[in-house]
């Protein structure tokens, strides 16, 4: 019986992933889509853009699709994505994850720190609120975008980790073991430790020069770079 249940769950997840790929693939500006479903049933989405429309417009449309699918109302109009600031209640969410001050909606990599041409690098980490809930959206310099839902007020940092791992096509998603901000050489440095499926651990660090979600994303990106 267990095997039958597992097969039914796998089939349902495959159907959900295929439907999301179809819906997101129809969004203007999207050229390619990959969707996988986590153990808890939440989708991870990675898209490639052609530059025809802005990243924000594509992200807003994908959030609307996720809200419809979440409610089982694909044919209904979903509430628009909240685009002002961090969204109602999100500063409290960040505070619950150790951030004690309001953070910018997203932060992009300073041009002076851009990676060499041809080497992808993290460009954006955005925390967005829509009718379907709160999600993290990340993008790299190759115009690939990935999403990860924020399950509860304690999982924002893990959602950032999952989104960056999805963007780098690192599977399965590593577990965020710890985050710490400390002072070194007069700079605030954020360090992370990740638990990999193999049992090994990886670490990354980044100087805090923008919002903490973006800094965390940069640190996770660096940690994963050493495992690939």
């Amino acid at each position: 019986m267990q095997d039958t249940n597992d097969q039914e769950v796998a089939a349902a997840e495959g159907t959900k992933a295929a439907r999301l790929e179809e819906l997101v693939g129809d969004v203007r500006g999207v050229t390619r889509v990959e969707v996988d479903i986590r153990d808890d049933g939440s989708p991870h989405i990675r898209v490639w853009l052609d530059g025809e429309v802005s990243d924000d417009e594509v992200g807003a449309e994908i959030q609307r699709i996720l809200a419809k699918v979440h409610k089982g109302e694909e044919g209904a109009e979903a509430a628009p994505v909240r685009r002002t600031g961090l969204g109602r209640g999100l500063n409290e969410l960040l505070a619950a994850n150790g951030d004690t001050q309001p953070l910018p909606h997203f932060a992009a990599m300073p041009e002076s720190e851009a990676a060499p041409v041809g080497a992808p690098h993290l460009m954006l980490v955005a925390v967005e609120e829509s009718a379907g809930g709160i999600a993290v959206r990340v993008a790299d310099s190759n115009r690939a975008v990935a999403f990860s839902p924020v399950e509860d007020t304690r999982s924002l940092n893990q959602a950032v980790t999952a989104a960056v791992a999805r963007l780098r096509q690192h599977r399965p998603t590593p577990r965020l073991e710890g985050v710490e901000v400390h002072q070194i050489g007069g700079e605030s440095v954020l360090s992370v430790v990740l638990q990999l499926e193999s049992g090994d651990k990886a670490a990354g660090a980044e100087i805090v020069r923008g919002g903490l979600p973006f800094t965390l994303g940069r640190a996770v990106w660096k940690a994963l770079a050493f495992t690939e």
Side-chain angles (χ1 to χ4, degrees), residues 45-190:
I45 301 174
R46 189 168 189 255
V47 300
W48 285 258
L49 309 180
D50 61 14
E52 183 179 355
V53 297
S54 71
D55 294 358
D56 281 349
E57 290 179 87
V58 174
E61 183 59 30
I62 292 175
Q63 288 285 57
R64 280 191 282 271
I65 290 171
L66 290 174
K68 292 178 184 179
V69 172
H70 178 73
K71 290 185 176 182
E73 302 172 350
E74 288 182 20
E77 285 296 322
V81 176
R82 308 174 74 94
R83 305 299 299 172
T84 57
L86 283 167
R88 183 177 57 189
L90 206 48
N91 280 329
E92 290 83 357
L93 174 66
L94 294 172
N97 283 271
D99 299 336
T100 58
Q101 59 185 6
L103 300 175
H105 182 57
F106 66 85
M109 175 182 288
E111 291 184 6
S112 61
E113 296 183 15
V117 175
H121 50 272
L122 188 66
M123 291 291 293
L124 176 144
V125 174
V127 184
E128 302 175 332
E129 184 181 7
S130 74
I134 298 170
V136 172
R137 174 167 60 98
V138 297
D140 67 18
S141 56
N142 285 344
R143 304 193 68 80
V145 180
F147 293 81
S148 183
V150 178
E151 303 298 339
D152 58 49
T153 58
R154 297 164 295 181
S155 66
L156 175 62
N157 290 342
Q158 180 59 44
V160 172
T161 301
V164 172
R166 184 77 177 103
L167 193 62
R168 292 189 63 92
Q169 301 187 64
H170 182 99
R171 299 185 182 90
T173 299
R175 184 171 70 249
L176 183 63
E177 287 285 284
V179 181
E180 182 178 343
V181 177
H182 45 97
Q183 294 291 318
I184 299 178
E187 298 280 0
S188 294
V189 178
L190 183 147

